[in-house]
Amino acid sequence: CIMIDIKIFQKRKPLPAGGFVERNPNLSYLVNLGGDSKESCLIDAALDIEQLRNELEKTRSSLKSVLLTHVHGDHIAELQDILEIYPNINIYVHSRAEEYLKSIGFQNVVPLRNNQVVCIGALDIIALNTPGHSNNSVSYWQPEYNVLFSGDTIFGGGIGCCDYRGGGNRNIFYLTLQNLLEMLPPETNIYPGHFSEHYQSKPPYRLSEEYERNPYLKSVIQGRRGDFDRALKTVSYTHLTLPTKRIV
């Protein structure tokens, strides 16, 4: 069994007021492999670059790739800076976002299909298509360690909005959550793309606890589609704030 370490990077301190991102700052994760390989991958690119460099130097780890959960601006904000320092790494992204990233100058873009296995050294990470928040949303699952990097699909105590302009869809989101709840064991540890303003604590968040604490998942489990739709419609119109480049 490979030893892995997950380093959490928080973009900034949460603010008591302001928009969604201010109250729920972005999170990125560095997954370090122990043993002789000393390889690592980064989940999303919203972090302080110096902190990333310091962590890689401290652990003597080699960054091999960035796995993007989707291409909203707040999740790829530092991608260009990362590529300037580590130009040979691969960028994994949903196949729908491949041409978008290439069009704005990124190379080494690897498109993902559903259930594709991404190999980081001896560690296999499964890419799950999880549309609903956007049409290019991906969650990364490591079942051996009961870990899911959920991006904006599942938060601690909530879920992402529906970015209707970027292919978000409430019907698809509901089905995505149904599929995830059927697939994932209760002991799965959720590492979302944002700090939780509901919990005021960093992840992981245990999925079994989210069954009761997360009103959206609770509605899906109980089949209360009306409650899910009303709540998600409200949060989508309230929290969709960042004008970012999107795939046409």
Side-chain angles (χ1 to χ4, degrees):
C1 185
I2 307 165
M3 295 299 296
I4 66 169
D5 176 70
I6 299 173
K7 173 69 175 180
I8 302 172
F9 296 97
Q10 184 172 307
K11 186 66 181 293
R12 59 179 70 84
K13 291 183 178 180
L15 301 177
F20 175 81
V21 173
E22 285 71 31
R23 302 192 312 276
N24 302 263
N26 282 81
L27 298 174
S28 296
Y29 306 96
L30 184 67
V31 182
N32 285 315
L33 277 63
D36 297 329
S37 69
K38 295 293 185 182
E39 296 184 356
S40 61
C41 67
L42 184 68
I43 312 294
D44 281 343
L47 73 166
D48 182 282
I49 301 300
E50 284 306 309
Q51 288 184 342
L52 174 62
R53 294 181 69 171
N54 291 340
E55 184 65 23
L56 289 169
E57 290 176 5
K58 182 177 73 175
T59 57
R60 298 180 181 179
S61 182
S62 174
L63 184 64
K64 293 298 184 181
S65 57
V66 177
L67 282 58
L68 297 177
T69 62
H70 58 301
V71 294
H72 281 158
D74 57 321
H75 292 262
I76 65 171
E78 275 68 51
L79 187 57
Q80 181 61 51
D81 291 340
I82 292 171
L83 267 293
E84 288 177 3
I85 302 171
Y86 308 102
N88 297 320
I89 64 176
N90 289 323
I91 306 169
Y92 289 90
V93 71
H94 193 292
S95 58
R96 290 196 183 103
E98 176 187 9
E99 291 305 318
Y100 169 73
L101 288 182
K102 289 181 176 179
S103 73
I104 57 177
F106 291 108
Q107 305 298 319
N108 300 335
V109 179
V110 181
L112 293 169
R113 62 183 183 276
N114 191 36
N115 291 317
Q116 181 172 335
V117 176
V118 179
C119 299
I120 309 300
L123 183 71
D124 292 341
I125 298 176
I126 302 172
L128 302 176
N129 289 354
T130 51
H133 170 64
S134 72
N135 66 2
N136 58 79
S137 292
V138 179
S139 295
Y140 296 98
W141 184 30
Q142 217 304 314
E144 184 179 0
Y145 295 93
N146 291 317
V147 167
L148 181 78
F149 299 99
S150 59
D152 284 7
T153 297
I154 301 176
F155 297 148
I159 63 174
C161 66
C162 276
D163 176 6
Y164 299 112
R165 293 172 294 177
N169 183 288
R170 290 202 303 278
N171 296 322
I172 293 174
F173 213 152
Y174 188 88
L175 293 175
T176 288
L177 294 176
Q178 276 188 323
N179 291 336
L180 284 177
L181 290 171
E182 291 175 1
M183 177 189 307
L184 300 174
E187 59 270 22
T188 301
N189 290 306
I190 305 295
Y191 289 86
H194 290 270
F195 176 87
S196 172
E197 66 176 314
H198 304 291
Y199 300 161
Q200 291 296 308
S201 62
K202 288 186 178 180
Y205 311 120
R206 188 61 63 95
L207 182 60
S208 58
E209 297 178 4
E210 291 299 295
Y211 293 163
E212 291 297 327
R213 301 179 72 184
N214 191 317
Y216 299 91
L217 298 191
K218 193 173 181 179
S219 291
V220 172
I221 290 170
Q222 297 178 356
R224 300 202 314 266
R225 178 59 191 266
D227 290 350
F228 176 90
D229 282 342
R230 284 188 291 272
L232 187 52
K233 183 176 181 180
T234 299
V235 78
S236 294
Y237 285 118
T238 301
H239 295 321
L240 192 57
T241 57
L242 281 179
T244 60
K245 295 179 181 178
R246 296 183 177 86
I247 308 164
V248 177

